[in-house]
Amino acid sequence: MSGRQKAFLAGLVAALVVVAAVLLWPDPKEPAAAPPPPSPSPSPTPSPSPSKTYPYPYYPPGTCLLMPWISGVKDSTVTPCDQPHDAETTANVVMPDGLADDRAVNKALLELCAPSLEAVQRQQGGFDLYNNSPIVPLTKYYQQGYRDASCTVTVSNQQSDRKLTAPLHP
């Protein structure tokens, strides 16, 4: 390449740099474009998950009920606590793994519910006034992985009136 060709190429490159700078340089009358807004971040609190449902009766503590073996209703039925009722849910518990049959499920549930029964008895002033009457899920549900159960307290069958008339508030 001759010196003349090198000079021509150098001039051409310089001209291209000047043209590019002029075309790309922002106009002083117009502000430079703002940077794009930040992408939206996920919500700091996750949306609540749907409530767990059960194929058997399961109630939150403080729920008052009419029970089939006392009131003759078909299924346990929620009722206001200020009206006569048969039972009140005092706790919810989770049964351990490894229970093999109805007897083991019943025994475990009675043991798990005993502290809430004792709390009611202490608060109400009588250790023979109430029964530990948990709502026992069928063993088939237990074997399907359901471990949650409701502890309920009923009036002792030694009492003349087996109805509760107000919340127990253990």
Side-chain angles (χ1 to χ4, degrees):
M1 189 185 272
S2 71
R4 221 169 146 185
Q5 289 174 330
K6 286 183 184 179
F8 175 77
L9 281 176
L12 184 60
V13 170
L16 289 174
V17 169
V18 170
V19 170
V22 169
L23 291 175
L24 297 174
W25 198 265
D27 186 0
K29 295 177 198 155
E30 295 181 29
S39 63
S41 60
S43 172
T45 55
S47 60
S49 60
S51 307
K52 188 173 183 179
T53 58
Y54 302 90
Y56 53 87
Y58 181 84
Y59 304 101
T63 303
C64 295
L65 305 162
L66 297 176
M67 302 302 270
W69 65 90
I70 298 173
S71 289
V73 293
K74 182 178 178 183
D75 296 310
S76 57
T77 307
V78 175
T79 190
C81 290
D82 62 352
Q83 295 181 10
H85 54 281
D86 304 325
E88 184 172 332
T89 304
T90 55
N92 288 326
V93 296
V94 178
M95 293 180 289
D97 292 336
L99 305 176
D101 55 25
D102 288 336
R103 175 178 270 171
V105 169
N106 287 333
K107 182 179 180 205
L109 196 50
L110 286 169
E111 289 172 4
L112 288 168
C113 292
S116 66
L117 169 66
E118 292 165 5
V120 167
Q121 290 172 329
R122 275 193 305 278
Q123 181 185 8
Q124 299 296 324
F127 284 91
D128 59 350
L129 300 177
Y130 301 95
N131 289 331
N132 190 358
S133 302
I135 298 175
V136 180
L138 298 174
T139 301
K140 75 175 185 174
Y141 298 128
Y142 176 87
Q143 291 170 347
Q144 292 173 11
Y146 290 97
R147 300 291 188 267
D148 299 319
S150 296
C151 299
T152 62
V153 170
T154 57
V155 174
S156 168
N157 57 2
Q158 296 175 6
Q159 304 299 316
S160 59
D161 186 9
R162 295 206 56 200
K163 298 290 184 181
L164 299 165
T165 56
L168 294 171
H169 301 294

